[in-house]
Amino acid sequence: MRFERKYRVDNLSMPHIKQIIKSHPASFYKLYPNRTVNNIYFDSPNMVCLNDNLMGINVRKKYRARWYGADIKQIIRPKLEVKYKENELGGKTIFDLSSFELSNIKALQKEVNHLIPQQFSLQAALLNSYERSYWGTKDGKFRITIDSNLRFHSLLHSPNFNRYLHRDPVVIVELKYEREDEKDLRRITRFLPFRLTKNSKYVNGILLTQ
């Protein structure tokens, strides 16, 4: 379990945000090359995951298939991530998924429900993609991701995907660290001039594509 603090930034440009991270006294440096992150989010027929988030339920789960790269239709080596949240702490369990094509969502749904059987079946609800850059401190205690170019497509209203019609122009900055490093948080956040917000790409995407 780790802390994930999110900042929804809509008043600063990407170069400005990156300059703030680069000039931070904790010496953040780029961990990996930028990459495209793709997700298919799943929910129950009566949208349990969405409603739990909107109601602020302290203990909740989220289900998504994730893969990386620019190819949105031919998905190779995807993972199923079950994200769980307990108050401010979050974690996830990861399963391997079979490669699939976006045109065959039903096969993916069947595999997901087989991997994590529960009281309700899961259906594909939302497709989204964004560009992510990765930053970390020299001591390895704190990590920052910066997500931009957020794109969404409702799989509930239109199961056949052609292109993204919905976009969110904001930048999402996320600060991640282990529970034991909470004591050192102030030395990081005092130099991040962003407003702490509650942000869920899944919830925002569903509301945006309704």
Side-chain angles (χ1 to χ4, degrees):
M1 300 287 282
R2 67 180 181 185
F3 285 100
E4 298 178 345
R5 298 189 177 273
K6 299 178 182 180
Y7 306 88
R8 184 179 170 90
V9 185
D10 56 8
N11 60 344
L12 296 173
S13 67
M14 177 62 85
H16 192 171
I17 293 170
K18 286 187 176 180
Q19 187 54 45
I20 289 170
I21 304 302
K22 288 178 182 178
S23 60
H24 195 287
S27 300
F28 281 91
Y29 70 101
K30 197 163 184 177
L31 294 171
Y32 320 107
N34 293 1
R35 58 182 176 176
T36 301
V37 182
N38 309 288
N39 302 290
I40 293 176
Y41 291 94
F42 298 86
D43 211 331
S44 68
N46 58 347
M47 307 299 280
V48 167
C49 301
L50 175 71
N51 292 322
D52 281 357
N53 190 294
L54 291 174
M55 291 188 295
I57 302 298
N58 288 334
V59 179
R60 58 184 187 269
K61 290 183 178 179
K62 182 166 56 180
Y63 309 89
R64 71 187 179 204
R66 169 166 289 189
W67 68 98
Y68 300 94
D71 193 339
I72 193 68
K73 295 191 176 181
Q74 184 73 36
I75 293 90
I76 308 297
R77 293 188 298 276
K79 303 290 185 181
L80 172 63
E81 298 184 348
V82 181
K83 291 205 71 178
Y84 42 90
K85 185 94 170 174
E86 294 181 14
N87 298 308
E88 294 184 2
L89 285 166
K92 61 185 175 183
T93 304
I94 301 175
F95 304 85
D96 289 327
L97 284 170
S98 304
S99 298
F100 67 96
E101 295 184 4
L102 200 56
S103 58
N104 193 6
I105 292 290
K106 292 194 175 185
L108 174 64
Q109 285 182 172
K110 183 177 180 180
E111 184 175 6
V112 167
N113 282 291
H114 176 74
L115 281 170
I116 46 172
Q118 51 199 320
Q119 305 96 320
F120 51 80
S121 61
L122 291 167
Q123 60 183 355
L126 182 76
L127 171 68
N128 97 303
S129 297
Y130 47 89
E131 312 310 318
R132 168 167 284 186
S133 62
Y134 302 81
W135 303 79
T137 55
K138 295 292 185 182
D139 60 14
K141 291 184 176 181
F142 293 88
R143 189 161 71 97
I144 283 177
T145 56
I146 308 174
D147 298 337
S148 59
N149 192 20
L150 279 66
R151 306 165 318 265
F152 302 92
H153 174 81
S154 172
L155 294 170
L156 295 174
H157 302 312
S158 179
N160 297 319
F161 173 77
N162 272 327
R163 61 189 176 92
Y164 286 111
L165 297 176
H166 301 276
R167 296 177 182 268
D168 190 342
V170 302
V171 175
I172 306 298
V173 177
E174 190 167 346
L175 175 65
K176 307 174 185 185
Y177 57 95
E178 302 300 322
R179 190 188 328 214
E180 59 266 24
D181 295 318
E182 172 83 357
K183 63 185 183 301
D184 297 322
L185 178 64
R186 178 61 183 157
R187 74 179 174 91
I188 303 297
T189 56
R190 64 184 294 193
F191 298 104
L192 296 177
F194 312 128
R195 185 169 59 88
L196 189 65
T197 56
K198 178 182 177 182
N199 186 84
S200 165
K201 295 183 183 74
Y202 172 56
V203 172
N204 293 344
I206 289 290
L207 297 179
L208 187 64
T209 58
Q210 280 185 342

